[in-house]
Coordinates of all heavy atoms in Angstrom, one line a residue:
M1 N -34.7 40.9 19.1 CA -36.0 41.5 18.8 C -36.4 42.4 19.9 O -36.9 43.5 19.7 CB -37.1 40.4 18.6 CG -37.4 40.1 17.2 SD -37.5 41.5 16.1 CE -39.1 42.1 16.4
A2 N -36.3 41.9 21.2 CA -36.7 42.7 22.3 C -35.9 44.0 22.4 O -36.5 45.1 22.7 CB -36.5 41.9 23.6
V3 N -34.6 43.9 22.1 CA -33.7 45.1 22.2 C -34.2 46.1 21.2 O -34.4 47.3 21.5 CB -32.3 44.7 22.0 CG1 -31.4 45.9 21.9 CG2 -31.8 43.8 23.2
L4 N -34.4 45.6 20.0 CA -34.8 46.5 18.9 C -36.1 47.2 19.2 O -36.3 48.4 19.1 CB -34.9 45.7 17.6 CG -35.5 46.5 16.4 CD1 -34.6 47.6 16.0 CD2 -35.7 45.6 15.2
S5 N -37.0 46.4 19.7 CA -38.4 46.9 20.0 C -38.3 48.0 21.1 O -39.0 49.0 21.0 CB -39.2 45.7 20.4 OG -40.3 46.1 21.2
E6 N -37.5 47.7 22.1 CA -37.4 48.7 23.2 C -36.8 50.0 22.7 O -37.2 51.1 23.1 CB -36.6 48.2 24.4 CG -37.3 47.1 25.2 CD -38.6 47.6 25.8 OE1 -38.7 48.8 26.1 OE2 -39.5 46.7 26.0
L7 N -35.8 49.9 21.9 CA -35.1 51.1 21.4 C -36.0 51.9 20.5 O -36.0 53.1 20.5 CB -33.8 50.8 20.7 CG -32.7 50.2 21.6 CD1 -31.4 49.9 20.8 CD2 -32.3 51.1 22.8
V8 N -36.7 51.2 19.6 CA -37.6 51.9 18.7 C -38.8 52.5 19.5 O -39.1 53.7 19.2 CB -38.1 51.0 17.6 CG1 -39.2 51.6 16.8 CG2 -37.0 50.5 16.7
T9 N -39.3 51.8 20.4 CA -40.4 52.3 21.2 C -40.0 53.6 22.0 O -40.7 54.6 22.0 CB -40.9 51.3 22.3 OG1 -41.3 50.1 21.6 CG2 -42.1 51.8 23.1
N10 N -38.8 53.6 22.5 CA -38.2 54.8 23.2 C -38.1 55.9 22.2 O -38.5 57.1 22.6 CB -36.9 54.5 23.8 CG -37.0 53.8 25.1 OD1 -38.1 53.7 25.7 ND2 -35.8 53.4 25.7
A11 N -37.6 55.7 21.0 CA -37.5 56.8 20.1 C -38.8 57.4 19.7 O -39.0 58.6 19.6 CB -36.8 56.3 18.8
V12 N -39.8 56.5 19.6 CA -41.2 57.0 19.2 C -41.8 57.8 20.4 O -42.3 58.9 20.3 CB -42.1 55.8 18.9 CG1 -43.5 56.3 18.7 CG2 -41.6 55.1 17.6
V13 N -41.7 57.2 21.6 CA -42.3 57.8 22.8 C -41.6 59.0 23.4 O -42.2 60.0 23.7 CB -42.5 56.7 23.9 CG1 -43.1 57.3 25.2 CG2 -43.4 55.6 23.4
H14 N -40.3 58.9 23.4 CA -39.5 59.9 24.2 C -38.8 61.0 23.4 O -38.6 62.1 23.9 CB -38.5 59.3 25.1 CG -39.0 58.3 26.1 ND1 -39.9 58.7 27.1 CD2 -38.9 57.0 26.2 CE1 -40.2 57.7 27.8 NE2 -39.6 56.6 27.3
A15 N -38.5 60.7 22.2 CA -37.7 61.7 21.4 C -38.5 63.0 21.1 O -39.6 62.9 20.5 CB -37.1 61.1 20.1
Q16 N -38.0 64.1 21.5 CA -38.7 65.4 21.2 C -38.0 65.9 20.0 O -36.9 66.4 20.0 CB -38.4 66.4 22.4 CG -38.8 65.8 23.7 CD -40.3 66.1 24.0 OE1 -40.9 67.1 23.6 NE2 -41.0 65.1 24.6
T17 N -38.6 65.8 18.9 CA -38.0 66.1 17.6 C -38.6 67.4 17.0 O -39.8 67.6 17.1 CB -38.1 65.0 16.6 OG1 -39.4 64.6 16.5 CG2 -37.2 63.8 17.1
P18 N -37.8 68.2 16.3 CA -38.3 69.3 15.6 C -39.2 68.9 14.4 O -39.1 67.7 13.9 CB -37.0 70.0 15.0 CG -35.9 69.2 15.4 CD -36.3 68.0 16.1
A19 N -40.2 69.7 14.1 CA -41.1 69.4 13.0 C -40.3 69.0 11.8 O -39.4 69.7 11.4 CB -42.0 70.6 12.7
G20 N -40.7 68.0 11.1 CA -40.1 67.5 9.9 C -38.9 66.6 10.1 O -38.4 66.1 9.2
R21 N -38.6 66.4 11.4 CA -37.4 65.5 11.7 C -37.9 64.3 12.5 O -37.1 63.9 13.4 CB -36.3 66.3 12.4 CG -35.8 67.5 11.7 CD -35.2 67.1 10.3 NE -34.2 66.0 10.3 CZ -32.9 66.2 10.4 NH1 -32.4 67.4 10.3 NH2 -32.1 65.2 10.4
E22 N -39.0 63.8 12.3 CA -39.6 62.8 13.1 C -39.1 61.4 12.7 O -39.4 60.4 13.4 CB -41.1 62.8 13.0 CG -41.8 64.0 13.6 CD -42.0 65.1 12.6 OE1 -41.5 65.0 11.5 OE2 -42.5 66.2 13.0
E23 N -38.4 61.3 11.6 CA -38.0 60.0 11.2 C -37.0 59.3 12.2 O -36.2 60.0 12.8 CB -37.4 60.0 9.8 CG -36.0 60.4 9.7 CD -35.9 62.0 9.6 OE1 -36.9 62.7 9.7 OE2 -34.8 62.4 9.3
I24 N -37.2 58.0 12.3 CA -36.3 57.2 13.1 C -35.6 56.3 12.2 O -36.2 55.7 11.3 CB -37.2 56.4 14.1 CG1 -37.8 57.3 15.1 CG2 -36.3 55.3 14.9 CD1 -39.0 56.7 15.8
E25 N -34.3 56.2 12.4 CA -33.5 55.3 11.5 C -33.0 54.1 12.3 O -32.5 54.2 13.4 CB -32.3 56.2 11.1 CG -31.8 55.9 9.7 CD -30.7 56.9 9.3 OE1 -30.8 58.1 9.7 OE2 -29.7 56.5 8.8
T26 N -33.1 53.0 11.7 CA -32.5 51.8 12.3 C -31.4 51.2 11.4 O -31.5 51.3 10.2 CB -33.6 50.7 12.5 OG1 -34.2 50.3 11.2 CG2 -34.7 51.1 13.4
S27 N -30.4 50.7 12.0 CA -29.4 50.1 11.2 C -28.8 48.8 12.0 O -28.9 48.8 13.2 CB -28.3 51.0 10.9 OG -27.7 51.6 12.1
F28 N -28.3 47.9 11.2 CA -27.8 46.7 11.7 C -26.5 46.4 11.1 O -26.3 46.5 9.9 CB -28.8 45.5 11.4 CG -30.2 45.8 11.8 CD1 -31.1 46.5 11.0 CD2 -30.7 45.5 13.1 CE1 -32.4 46.8 11.4 CE2 -31.9 45.8 13.5 CZ -32.8 46.4 12.6
C29 N -25.5 46.0 11.9 CA -24.2 45.7 11.4 C -23.8 44.3 11.9 O -23.8 44.1 13.2 CB -23.3 46.8 11.9 SG -21.6 46.5 11.4
R30 N -23.6 43.4 11.1 CA -23.3 42.1 11.5 C -21.8 42.0 11.8 O -21.0 42.3 10.9 CB -23.7 41.1 10.4 CG -24.0 39.7 11.1 CD -24.4 38.7 10.0 NE -23.2 38.2 9.4 CZ -23.3 37.2 8.5 NH1 -24.4 36.7 8.1 NH2 -22.2 36.7 7.9
G31 N -21.4 41.5 12.9 CA -20.0 41.2 13.2 C -19.8 39.7 13.3 O -20.8 39.0 13.1
A32 N -18.6 39.3 13.7 CA -18.3 37.9 13.7 C -19.2 37.2 14.8 O -19.7 36.1 14.6 CB -16.9 37.7 14.0
G33 N -19.4 37.9 15.9 CA -20.2 37.2 17.0 C -21.6 37.6 17.2 O -22.3 37.1 18.1
G34 N -22.1 38.5 16.4 CA -23.4 39.0 16.7 C -23.8 40.2 15.8 O -23.3 40.3 14.7
V35 N -24.7 41.0 16.3 CA -25.2 42.1 15.5 C -25.2 43.4 16.4 O -25.5 43.4 17.6 CB -26.7 41.8 15.1 CG1 -27.3 43.0 14.3 CG2 -26.8 40.5 14.3
R36 N -24.8 44.5 15.7 CA -24.9 45.8 16.4 C -26.1 46.5 15.8 O -26.3 46.7 14.6 CB -23.6 46.6 16.1 CG -23.6 48.0 16.7 CD -22.4 48.7 16.2 NE -22.2 50.0 16.9 CZ -22.8 51.1 16.7 NH1 -23.8 51.2 15.8 NH2 -22.5 52.2 17.4
I37 N -27.0 46.8 16.7 CA -28.3 47.4 16.4 C -28.2 48.9 16.7 O -27.7 49.2 17.8 CB -29.5 46.8 17.2 CG1 -29.6 45.3 17.0 CG2 -30.8 47.5 17.0 CD1 -30.5 44.6 17.9
A38 N -28.6 49.8 15.9 CA -28.6 51.2 16.2 C -30.0 51.8 15.9 O -30.5 51.5 14.8 CB -27.5 51.9 15.5
V39 N -30.5 52.6 16.8 CA -31.8 53.3 16.5 C -31.5 54.8 16.7 O -31.1 55.2 17.8 CB -32.9 52.8 17.4 CG1 -34.2 53.6 17.2 CG2 -33.1 51.3 17.2
D40 N -31.6 55.6 15.6 CA -31.3 57.0 15.7 C -32.5 57.8 15.6 O -33.5 57.5 14.9 CB -30.5 57.4 14.4 CG -29.2 56.5 14.2 OD1 -29.0 55.6 15.0 OD2 -28.5 56.8 13.3
D41 N -32.5 58.9 16.4 CA -33.6 59.9 16.3 C -33.0 61.3 16.4 O -31.8 61.5 16.6 CB -34.6 59.7 17.4 CG -34.1 59.9 18.8 OD1 -33.6 61.0 19.1 OD2 -34.2 58.9 19.6
A42 N -33.8 62.3 16.1 CA -33.3 63.7 16.0 C -33.4 64.5 17.2 O -33.3 65.7 17.2 CB -34.1 64.4 14.9
D43 N -33.5 63.8 18.4 CA -33.5 64.5 19.7 C -32.1 64.3 20.3 O -31.5 63.2 20.3 CB -34.5 63.9 20.6 CG -34.5 64.5 22.0 OD1 -33.8 65.4 22.3 OD2 -35.4 64.0 22.8
E44 N -31.5 65.5 20.7 CA -30.1 65.4 21.3 C -30.0 64.8 22.7 O -29.0 64.3 23.1 CB -29.5 66.8 21.4 CG -29.5 67.6 20.1 CD -28.5 67.2 19.1 OE1 -27.5 66.5 19.5 OE2 -28.7 67.4 17.9
T45 N -31.2 64.7 23.4 CA -31.2 64.3 24.8 C -30.9 62.8 24.8 O -31.6 62.0 24.2 CB -32.6 64.5 25.4 OG1 -33.0 65.7 25.0 CG2 -32.5 64.4 26.9
P46 N -29.8 62.4 25.6 CA -29.5 60.9 25.6 C -30.5 60.2 26.6 O -31.1 60.8 27.5 CB -28.1 60.9 26.2 CG -28.0 62.2 27.0 CD -28.9 63.2 26.3
P47 N -30.7 59.0 26.3 CA -31.6 58.2 27.3 C -30.9 58.0 28.6 O -29.7 58.0 28.6 CB -31.8 56.9 26.6 CG -30.7 56.8 25.6 CD -30.2 58.1 25.3
T48 N -31.6 58.0 29.7 CA -31.0 57.8 31.0 C -31.8 56.7 31.7 O -33.0 56.7 31.7 CB -31.2 59.1 31.9 OG1 -32.5 59.6 31.7 CG2 -30.2 60.1 31.5
M49 N -31.0 55.8 32.2 CA -31.6 54.6 32.9 C -32.3 55.2 34.2 O -31.7 56.0 34.8 CB -30.5 53.7 33.3 CG -30.7 52.4 32.5 SD -29.3 51.3 32.8 CE -30.2 49.9 33.1
R50 N -33.5 54.7 34.4 CA -34.1 55.2 35.7 C -34.6 54.0 36.4 O -34.9 53.0 35.9 CB -35.2 56.2 35.3 CG -36.4 55.7 34.5 CD -37.4 56.8 34.2 NE -38.6 56.3 33.5 CZ -39.7 55.9 34.2 NH1 -39.7 55.9 35.5 NH2 -40.7 55.6 33.5
A51 N -34.9 54.3 37.7 CA -35.4 53.2 38.5 C -36.8 52.9 38.0 O -37.6 53.8 37.7 CB -35.5 53.7 40.0
H52 N -37.1 51.6 37.8 CA -38.4 51.4 37.2 C -39.5 51.3 38.3 O -39.3 51.0 39.4 CB -38.4 50.1 36.3 CG -38.0 48.8 37.0 ND1 -38.8 48.2 37.9 CD2 -36.9 48.1 36.9 CE1 -38.2 47.1 38.3 NE2 -37.0 47.0 37.7
D53 N -40.7 51.8 37.8 CA -41.8 51.8 38.7 C -43.0 51.4 37.9 O -42.9 50.8 36.8 CB -42.1 53.3 39.2 CG -42.1 54.3 38.1 OD1 -42.5 53.9 37.0 OD2 -41.7 55.4 38.3
D54 N -44.2 51.6 38.4 CA -45.4 51.1 37.6 C -45.6 51.8 36.3 O -46.1 51.2 35.3 CB -46.7 51.4 38.5 CG -46.7 50.5 39.7 OD1 -45.9 49.6 39.8 OD2 -47.5 50.8 40.6
A55 N -45.0 53.0 36.2 CA -45.2 53.7 34.9 C -44.1 53.3 33.9 O -44.2 53.8 32.7 CB -45.1 55.2 35.2
G56 N -43.2 52.5 34.2 CA -42.2 52.1 33.2 C -40.8 52.2 33.8 O -40.5 52.0 35.0
G57 N -39.8 52.4 32.8 CA -38.4 52.4 33.2 C -37.7 51.0 33.1 O -36.6 50.8 33.5
R58 N -38.4 50.1 32.4 CA -37.9 48.8 32.2 C -37.1 48.6 30.9 O -36.3 47.7 30.8 CB -39.0 47.7 32.2 CG -39.5 47.5 33.6 CD -40.7 46.6 33.6 NE -41.2 46.5 35.0 CZ -42.0 47.4 35.6 NH1 -42.4 48.5 34.9 NH2 -42.4 47.3 36.8
G59 N -37.4 49.5 30.0 CA -36.8 49.3 28.6 C -35.3 49.2 28.6 O -34.7 48.3 28.1
L60 N -34.6 50.2 29.2 CA -33.2 50.2 29.1 C -32.6 49.1 30.0 O -31.5 48.6 29.7 CB -32.6 51.6 29.5 CG -32.9 52.7 28.5 CD1 -32.4 54.0 29.0 CD2 -32.2 52.4 27.2
T61 N -33.2 48.8 31.1 CA -32.8 47.7 32.0 C -32.8 46.4 31.1 O -31.8 45.6 31.2 CB -33.8 47.5 33.1 OG1 -33.9 48.7 33.8 CG2 -33.3 46.5 34.1
L62 N -33.8 46.2 30.3 CA -33.9 45.1 29.4 C -32.8 45.1 28.3 O -32.2 44.1 28.1 CB -35.3 45.1 28.8 CG -35.9 43.8 28.2 CD1 -37.3 43.8 28.5 CD2 -35.7 43.8 26.7
V63 N -32.6 46.3 27.8 CA -31.6 46.4 26.7 C -30.2 46.0 27.3 O -29.5 45.3 26.7 CB -31.5 47.9 26.2 CG1 -30.3 48.1 25.3 CG2 -32.8 48.2 25.4
K64 N -30.0 46.5 28.5 CA -28.7 46.2 29.2 C -28.6 44.7 29.4 O -27.5 44.1 29.2 CB -28.6 47.0 30.5 CG -27.2 46.9 31.1 CD -27.2 47.7 32.4 CE -25.8 47.5 33.1 NZ -25.8 47.8 34.5
A65 N -29.6 44.1 29.9 CA -29.6 42.7 30.2 C -29.4 41.8 29.0 O -28.7 40.8 29.0 CB -30.9 42.3 30.9
Y66 N -30.0 42.2 27.9 CA -29.9 41.3 26.7 C -28.8 41.7 25.7 O -28.6 41.0 24.7 CB -31.3 41.4 25.9 CG -32.4 40.7 26.5 CD1 -33.7 41.1 26.5 CD2 -32.1 39.4 27.1 CE1 -34.7 40.4 27.1 CE2 -33.2 38.7 27.7 CZ -34.5 39.2 27.7 OH -35.5 38.5 28.2
S67 N -28.0 42.7 26.0 CA -27.0 43.1 25.1 C -25.6 42.9 25.8 O -25.5 43.0 27.0 CB -27.2 44.5 24.6 OG -27.1 45.4 25.6
A68 N -24.6 42.8 25.0 CA -23.2 42.7 25.5 C -22.8 44.0 26.0 O -22.1 44.2 27.0 CB -22.3 42.1 24.5
R69 N -23.1 45.0 25.2 CA -22.8 46.4 25.5 C -23.9 47.3 24.9 O -24.4 46.9 23.9 CB -21.4 46.9 24.8 CG -20.2 46.2 25.4 CD -19.0 47.0 25.0 NE -18.7 47.0 23.6 CZ -18.1 46.1 22.9 NH1 -17.8 45.0 23.5 NH2 -17.8 46.2 21.6
W70 N -24.1 48.5 25.4 CA -25.0 49.4 24.8 C -24.4 50.8 25.0 O -23.6 51.0 26.0 CB -26.4 49.3 25.2 CG -26.7 49.8 26.6 CD1 -26.5 49.2 27.7 CD2 -27.3 51.1 26.9 NE1 -26.9 50.0 28.8 CE2 -27.4 51.1 28.3 CE3 -27.8 52.1 26.1 CZ2 -28.0 52.3 28.9 CZ3 -28.3 53.2 26.7 CH2 -28.4 53.3 28.1
G71 N -24.9 51.8 24.3 CA -24.4 53.1 24.5 C -25.1 54.1 23.6 O -26.1 53.8 22.9
V72 N -24.6 55.4 23.7 CA -25.2 56.4 22.9 C -24.1 57.2 22.2 O -23.1 57.4 22.9 CB -26.0 57.5 23.8 CG1 -26.9 58.4 22.9 CG2 -26.8 56.7 24.8
R73 N -24.3 57.7 21.0 CA -23.3 58.6 20.5 C -24.0 59.6 19.7 O -25.2 59.5 19.3 CB -22.3 57.8 19.6 CG -22.9 57.2 18.4 CD -21.8 56.6 17.5 NE -22.3 56.3 16.2 CZ -21.7 55.8 15.2 NH1 -20.4 55.4 15.4 NH2 -22.2 55.5 14.1
T74 N -23.4 60.7 19.4 CA -24.0 61.8 18.7 C -24.1 61.3 17.2 O -23.2 60.5 16.8 CB -23.3 63.1 18.8 OG1 -21.9 62.9 18.5 CG2 -23.4 63.8 20.1
R75 N -25.1 61.8 16.6 CA -25.3 61.4 15.2 C -24.8 62.4 14.2 O -24.8 63.6 14.6 CB -26.8 61.3 15.1 CG -27.4 60.7 13.9 CD -28.9 61.0 14.0 NE -29.7 60.3 13.0 CZ -30.9 60.7 12.7 NH1 -31.5 61.7 13.4 NH2 -31.6 60.1 11.8
R76 N -24.4 62.0 13.1 CA -24.1 63.0 12.1 C -25.3 63.8 11.8 O -26.4 63.3 11.6 CB -23.6 62.2 10.8 CG -22.5 62.9 10.1 CD -22.0 62.0 8.9 NE -21.8 60.6 9.3 CZ -22.2 59.6 8.6 NH1 -22.9 59.7 7.5 NH2 -22.0 58.3 9.0
G77 N -25.1 65.2 11.8 CA -26.3 66.0 11.6 C -26.9 66.3 12.9 O -26.4 67.0 13.7
I78 N -28.1 65.8 13.1 CA -28.9 66.2 14.3 C -29.3 64.9 15.1 O -29.6 63.9 14.5 CB -30.1 67.0 14.0 CG1 -30.9 67.5 15.2 CG2 -31.0 66.3 13.0 CD1 -32.0 68.4 15.0
G79 N -29.2 65.0 16.4 CA -29.7 63.9 17.2 C -28.7 63.0 17.7 O -27.5 63.3 17.9
K80 N -29.2 61.7 18.0 CA -28.3 60.7 18.6 C -28.5 59.4 18.0 O -29.6 59.1 17.4 CB -28.5 60.7 20.1 CG -30.0 60.3 20.4 CD -30.3 60.2 21.9 CE -31.7 59.8 22.1 NZ -32.7 60.8 21.7
S81 N -27.6 58.5 18.3 CA -27.8 57.1 17.9 C -27.6 56.2 19.2 O -26.6 56.3 19.9 CB -26.7 56.8 16.9 OG -26.7 55.4 16.5
V82 N -28.7 55.5 19.5 CA -28.6 54.6 20.6 C -28.3 53.2 20.1 O -29.0 52.7 19.2 CB -29.9 54.6 21.4 CG1 -29.8 53.8 22.7 CG2 -30.4 56.0 21.8
W83 N -27.2 52.6 20.6 CA -26.8 51.3 20.0 C -26.7 50.2 21.0 O -26.5 50.5 22.2 CB -25.5 51.5 19.2 CG -24.4 52.0 20.1 CD1 -24.0 53.3 20.3 CD2 -23.5 51.2 20.9 NE1 -23.0 53.4 21.2 CE2 -22.6 52.1 21.6 CE3 -23.3 49.9 21.2 CZ2 -21.7 51.7 22.5 CZ3 -22.4 49.4 22.1 CH2 -21.5 50.4 22.7
A84 N -26.8 49.0 20.6 CA -26.6 47.8 21.4 C -26.1 46.7 20.6 O -26.4 46.5 19.5 CB -28.0 47.4 22.1
I85 N -25.2 45.9 21.2 CA -24.6 44.8 20.6 C -25.2 43.5 21.2 O -25.1 43.3 22.4 CB -23.0 44.8 20.7 CG1 -22.5 46.0 19.9 CG2 -22.4 43.5 20.3 CD1 -21.0 46.3 20.2
V86 N -25.8 42.7 20.3 CA -26.4 41.5 20.7 C -25.6 40.3 20.2 O -25.4 40.3 19.0 CB -27.9 41.4 20.2 CG1 -28.5 40.2 20.7 CG2 -28.6 42.6 20.7
T87 N -25.1 39.5 21.0 CA -24.3 38.4 20.6 C -25.0 37.0 20.7 O -25.9 36.9 21.6 CB -22.9 38.3 21.4 OG1 -23.3 38.3 22.8 CG2 -22.1 39.5 21.1
A88 N -24.6 36.1 19.9 CA -25.2 34.8 20.0 C -24.6 34.1 21.3 O -23.5 34.5 21.7 CB -24.8 33.9 18.8
P89 N -25.3 33.2 21.9 CA -24.8 32.6 23.1 C -23.4 32.0 22.9 O -23.1 31.4 21.9 CB -25.8 31.4 23.4 CG -27.1 31.9 22.7 CD -26.6 32.7 21.5
G90 N -22.5 32.3 23.9 CA -21.2 31.8 23.8 C -20.3 32.6 22.8 O -19.1 32.3 22.8
E91 N -20.8 33.5 22.1 CA -20.0 34.3 21.2 C -19.6 35.6 21.8 O -20.2 36.1 22.8 CB -20.8 34.6 19.9 CG -21.1 33.3 19.1 CD -20.0 32.7 18.5 OE1 -19.0 33.4 18.1 OE2 -20.0 31.4 18.3
R92 N -18.6 36.3 21.2 CA -18.4 37.6 21.6 C -18.2 38.5 20.4 O -17.9 38.0 19.3 CB -17.1 37.7 22.6 CG -15.8 37.3 22.0 CD -14.8 37.1 23.1 NE -13.5 36.7 22.4 CZ -12.6 37.5 22.1 NH1 -12.7 38.8 22.2 NH2 -11.5 37.1 21.5
W93 N -18.4 39.8 20.6 CA -18.4 40.7 19.4 C -16.9 40.9 19.0 O -16.1 41.2 19.8 CB -19.0 42.1 19.9 CG -19.0 43.1 18.9 CD1 -18.2 44.2 18.8 CD2 -19.9 43.2 17.7 NE1 -18.5 45.0 17.7 CE2 -19.5 44.4 17.0 CE3 -20.9 42.4 17.2 CZ2 -20.2 44.8 15.9 CZ3 -21.6 42.8 16.1 CH2 -21.2 44.0 15.4
L94 N -16.7 40.7 17.7 CA -15.3 40.9 17.2 C -15.3 42.0 16.2 O -16.3 42.2 15.5 CB -14.9 39.6 16.5 CG -14.7 38.4 17.5 CD1 -14.4 37.1 16.7 CD2 -13.6 38.6 18.5
Ligands
ATP101 N1 -34.7 57.9 22.4 C1 -34.8 58.6 23.6 N2 -34.8 60.0 23.5 C2 -34.9 60.8 24.7 N3 -35.0 60.2 25.9 C3 -35.1 58.9 26.0 C4 -35.0 58.0 24.8 N4 -35.0 56.7 25.3 C5 -35.2 56.8 26.6 N5 -35.2 58.0 27.1 C6 -35.3 58.5 28.5 O1 -34.8 57.4 29.3 C7 -35.8 57.0 30.2 C8 -35.6 55.5 30.5 O2 -36.0 54.7 29.4 P1 -36.6 53.3 29.6 O3 -36.9 52.7 28.3 O4 -35.8 52.5 30.5 O5 -38.0 53.6 30.4 P2 -39.4 54.0 29.8 O6 -39.4 54.1 28.3 O7 -39.7 55.3 30.5 O8 -40.4 52.9 30.3 P3 -40.7 51.5 29.6 O9 -39.6 51.2 28.6 O10 -40.6 50.5 30.7 O11 -42.0 51.6 28.9 C9 -37.1 57.4 29.6 O12 -38.1 57.6 30.6 C10 -36.7 58.7 28.9 O13 -36.8 59.8 29.8
MG102 MG1 -38.8 52.5 27.1

């Protein structure tokens, strides 16, 4: 939940999208050991981890801490897909 919430919040707050392309797409893929969460937006700029300060910068640190792996890939069409794999304790993504 925390991972999903951070990724969606980032897409809402940071994605600079062309008019008419404001939609954010979420998808979930269940694997043997957990779930792959993806949040897509229509901005090509990838997220960049930054040193956190009073104004923020904690989101991706939290995503990294709570996920087994995370990353960004280009999306079919326009924009990007930010993904994270969350596994159950003791499990690994298969
Ligand atoms: N979906 C996105 N599209 C474009 N840029 C992004 C996106 N997500 C994150 N970023 C960039 O990556 C930076 C780091 O994101 P992060 O979530 O760690 O911090 P934050 O959103 O600035 O603060 P916080 O999450 O603590 O409120 C952001 O400041 C932003 O510049
Ligand atoms: Mg954030």
Side-chain angles (χ1 to χ4, degrees):
M1 262 319 279
V3 171
L4 175 63
S5 156
E6 288 301 331
L7 295 181
V8 171
T9 304
N10 277 352
V12 171
V13 173
H14 300 297
Q16 306 275 323
T17 52
R21 301 303 305 264
E22 294 88 358
E23 77 276 7
I24 293 162
E25 212 176 318
T26 56
S27 56
F28 306 88
C29 176
R30 207 181 82 175
V35 180
R36 182 185 187 280
I37 300 169
V39 178
D40 303 4
D41 64 55
D43 179 0
E44 305 287 337
T45 319
T48 44
M49 248 173 134
R50 63 182 185 90
H52 58 76
D53 53 31
D54 292 347
R58 285 174 186 79
L60 291 175
T61 308
L62 199 142
V63 169
K64 188 178 176 203
Y66 284 143
S67 62
R69 294 200 295 280
W70 77 279
V72 193
R73 65 173 195 184
T74 51
R75 186 192 190 197
R76 219 174 308 135
I78 181 174
K80 63 178 175 297
S81 177
V82 188
W83 58 268
I85 292 169
V86 181
T87 53
E91 296 289 328
R92 62 195 180 91
W93 179 254
L94 295 172

